Amino acid sequence: MDTTNTMNLAKQGLEPEYKASSINPASAKASMLTYAVHDAIWWMAGHAGTGFITTYNATNGTTVVNVSNQVPGSSCAGKNACLTDYTFEEMHDIRVMVFQGCDSGKTLANGDALHKRAKQVLGVDASVAFGAIIYFSANTSDVWSFHFANYGRLPTTVLGAAYYSAEDVLFYSGSYHGYKQYSVYGGSTYFFPAAYGS
Amino acid sequence: MPVPSRRSMLLAAAAVLLALAGVASGRGIDETRVIAVSREEAIDSVRAFVAGTALTDDVVAEGPYDGALVRFYKVTGHHLMARVDANTGSVVGVVFLENIGQGGKVSVDSERASVAAKAFLDDHSIGWRHLEPSIEFIDHGETAEYLLQWTRRDGDLVLPEAIYVSVDAVTGKVISFADMRRPFEAPGEPSVDRPAAIAASVEVLRGAGVDGEVAIDAAELRVEFAESGDQRLVWKIRASAVVERLQQGQEIVGHWLVEVDARSGQAKIVARG
């Protein structure tokens, strides 16, 4: 996330513009400290930056998941505030993790990244993030997420779904809107029919 | 382009009747969105376009769908997806998933990628020489590609002429092609200049609750098209602002894409990030 032009100004008492929520098969788990654990798909959509992604809901406010405490300005205080708090045993059953947010796929100076750690350390089968500012459709259903989720039925792989969906954004919106900069690990994974990962 | 069949002629006739109904009701007609091609013909177009490439029998066509520039069929097969203009029958997009070199080492340089992309366009008689080229290397994690773009500007004005070709950085093969061109008329000068467009975009963001300092990341004047087919001249403003600062000082930044009509000055948020 490039914050050099934002002039160090904070919001005063207003909610974030994009009120995304974690999309989970088991919504109850999404509100627990160990949310997403034991779920087959973890999908977060919201504001993000290098090494972190956020969700928002009216009850809990903004929730941030950092890859580690190496994200500038971050803290891993609180259970599962960082991916480094999770274990392989807790996470490896996840089939797909999607971090749909701006710059969510960019790496920290130490080479760590949300989706990279998810696949290589936590053992999820596949993970998706983005190396650019991406845009969600403001007045219609979101083009990328709609198509990505549906491509699993072709069936196609996570990599194929990410590629096809970026082209959908181009044809429906007239621009890639950053989705061409997807980053995928475990791209040969299939995610339909729904199932746990290995 | 396939020879029109009896079915497609009937489709075209029906489309003309619908268009006439549109005139009667005062709505505009977008001739480029008139459906003149059937799904079967769309599949035939794809078969001709990818001649020499294995195209399995399970290929299907869906649509047509309304895109930003044209109405298109989506044709999918094993490891392939294509888009066909429902009016002209031209293949305007294709993806060859099997050309992605998953897990391999990047061995293709930008020059070789450019040669492959130009050869692909020449093989399909797609004119690119009057357009301005650019190339970008994209790291996708386990894969990588070069995205080549050919675009056209008139000064600062972005015209609706863009061609995209992606070449895999491992295999050197073309993965995807997208033809984002559409006929247009010279738009003339905007009634709203850049500073006024930026001011309008900031105002609409304020109305949406953005009260921090807004940074303008880009402002482009573009020729685009409404769903009715009407050509539009619009400013596309990319803006950002801090939307929240967490206890430890971590900043959450929001991004917006605001569209400002360059005739009327009317502004609206079209996308958020």
Side-chain angles (χ1 to χ4, degrees), chain A residues 125-197:
Chain A
D125 286 14
S127 55
V128 184
F130 298 91
I133 293 168
I134 58 170
Y135 291 93
F136 297 80
S137 313
N139 306 306
T140 60
S141 60
D142 182 58
V143 174
W144 188 87
S145 55
F146 174 83
H147 286 91
F148 180 87
N150 277 284
Y151 279 129
R153 294 184 303 158
L154 276 179
T156 191
T157 61
V158 170
L159 176 64
Y163 206 109
Y164 285 159
S165 306
E167 299 301 310
D168 279 301
V169 174
L170 174 65
F171 275 89
Y172 283 107
S173 309
S175 164
Y176 280 114
H177 281 184
Y179 286 98
K180 190 71 168 175
Q181 274 74 12
Y182 67 82
S183 184
V184 170
Y185 287 96
S188 59
T189 301
Y190 285 87
F191 58 109
F192 185 86
Y196 287 108

Side-chain angles (χ1 to χ4, degrees), chain A residues 1-9, chain B residues 213-218 239-242 251 253:
Chain A
M1 172 174 51
D2 181 3
T3 58
T4 55
N5 291 327
T6 56
M7 300 302 286
N8 196 31
L9 289 170
Chain B
E213 181 157 338
V214 174
I216 302 301
D217 303 318
S240 57
V242 174
E251 290 182 339
V253 176

Side-chain angles (χ1 to χ4, degrees), chain A residues 163-164 167 176 180 182, chain B residues 49-50 53 79-81 91-101 108-124 126 128 135 140 144-150 163-179:
Chain A
Y163 206 109
Y164 285 159
E167 299 301 310
Y176 280 114
K180 190 71 168 175
Y182 67 82
Chain B
F49 191 87
V50 302
T53 303
H79 288 172
L80 178 142
M81 170 175 295
V91 173
V92 291
V94 67
V95 178
F96 303 99
L97 282 186
E98 62 188 3
N99 287 347
I100 299 178
V108 176
D109 62 19
S110 59
E111 180 59 31
R112 188 176 148 196
S114 178
V115 169
K118 290 173 182 173
F120 179 89
L121 294 176
D122 286 341
D123 286 348
H124 294 92
I126 297 165
W128 53 269
I135 186 168
H140 290 305
E145 70 179 314
Y146 292 94
L147 175 62
L148 295 102
Q149 299 182 47
W150 285 267
I163 299 170
Y164 301 86
V165 179
S166 285
V167 177
D168 188 85
V170 174
T171 66
K173 295 179 178 178
V174 169
I175 307 171
S176 67
F177 150 74
D179 185 348

Side-chain angles (χ1 to χ4, degrees), chain A residues 15-182:
Chain A
E15 298 166 347
E17 285 303 308
Y18 183 75
K19 296 181 179 65
S21 296
S22 177
I23 301 168
N24 262 277
S27 58
K29 289 193 173 83
S31 63
M32 296 169 64
L33 290 175
T34 54
Y35 70 90
V37 175
H38 308 308
D39 285 345
I41 293 175
W42 171 331
W43 190 315
M44 293 182 74
H47 291 307
T50 303
F52 74 91
I53 188 165
T54 71
T55 62
Y56 179 88
N57 66 53
T59 304
N60 300 321
T62 298
T63 300
V64 181
V65 174
N66 295 292
V67 64
S68 72
N69 62 7
Q70 297 302 301
V71 178
S74 72
S75 163
C76 288
K79 185 170 173 56
N80 294 339
C82 293
L83 284 188
T84 47
D85 297 336
Y86 291 88
T87 66
F88 177 89
E89 286 70 26
E90 290 174 316
M91 302 293 276
H92 75 92
D93 275 348
I94 293 177
R95 178 67 65 95
V96 182
M97 289 183 82
V98 179
F99 303 95
Q100 191 184 359
C102 300
D103 296 335
S104 59
K106 285 189 172 175
T107 56
L108 299 174
N110 65 4
D112 209 357
L114 286 167
H115 65 314
K116 193 174 176 183
R117 173 169 288 275
K119 166 66 178 170
Q120 297 180 352
V121 179
L122 300 177
V124 307
D125 286 14
S127 55
V128 184
F130 298 91
I133 293 168
I134 58 170
Y135 291 93
F136 297 80
S137 313
N139 306 306
T140 60
S141 60
D142 182 58
V143 174
W144 188 87
S145 55
F146 174 83
H147 286 91
F148 180 87
N150 277 284
Y151 279 129
R153 294 184 303 158
L154 276 179
T156 191
T157 61
V158 170
L159 176 64
Y163 206 109
Y164 285 159
S165 306
E167 299 301 310
D168 279 301
V169 174
L170 174 65
F171 275 89
Y172 283 107
S173 309
S175 164
Y176 280 114
H177 281 184
Y179 286 98
K180 190 71 168 175
Q181 274 74 12
Y182 67 82

Side-chain angles (χ1 to χ4, degrees), chain B residues 115-264:
Chain B
V115 169
K118 290 173 182 173
F120 179 89
L121 294 176
D122 286 341
D123 286 348
H124 294 92
S125 303
I126 297 165
W128 53 269
R129 289 177 172 78
H130 66 295
L131 302 175
E132 186 69 25
S134 63
I135 186 168
E136 177 184 7
F137 177 80
I138 304 177
D139 181 352
H140 290 305
E142 293 175 340
T143 63
E145 70 179 314
Y146 292 94
L147 175 62
L148 295 102
Q149 299 182 47
W150 285 267
T151 55
R152 189 174 158 211
R153 288 173 176 263
D154 181 5
D156 291 333
L157 175 65
V158 181
L159 301 172
E161 288 194 74
I163 299 170
Y164 301 86
V165 179
S166 285
V167 177
D168 188 85
V170 174
T171 66
K173 295 179 178 178
V174 169
I175 307 171
S176 67
F177 150 74
D179 185 348
M180 301 296 287
R181 296 176 295 169
R182 178 170 158 154
F184 62 96
E185 297 175 356
E189 293 299 314
S191 306
V192 178
D193 62 14
R194 182 186 298 262
I198 290 172
S201 67
V202 172
E203 185 177 344
V204 78
L205 288 173
R206 294 279 183 248
V210 181
D211 63 352
E213 181 157 338
V214 174
I216 302 301
D217 303 318
E220 272 188 339
L221 184 62
R222 305 177 65 95
V223 173
E224 295 193 347
F225 295 88
E227 285 187 9
S228 64
D230 293 338
Q231 182 176 310
R232 304 176 63 226
L233 187 61
V234 298
W235 287 97
K236 284 288 178 71
I237 312 292
R238 296 182 187 275
S240 57
V242 174
V243 294
E244 191 169 6
R245 181 174 288 110
L246 304 180
Q247 284 184 335
Q248 294 78 22
Q250 190 171 5
E251 290 182 339
I252 310 299
V253 176
H255 302 270
W256 297 268
L257 179 59
V258 182
E259 184 178 286
V260 181
D261 189 301
R263 304 288 182 217
S264 69

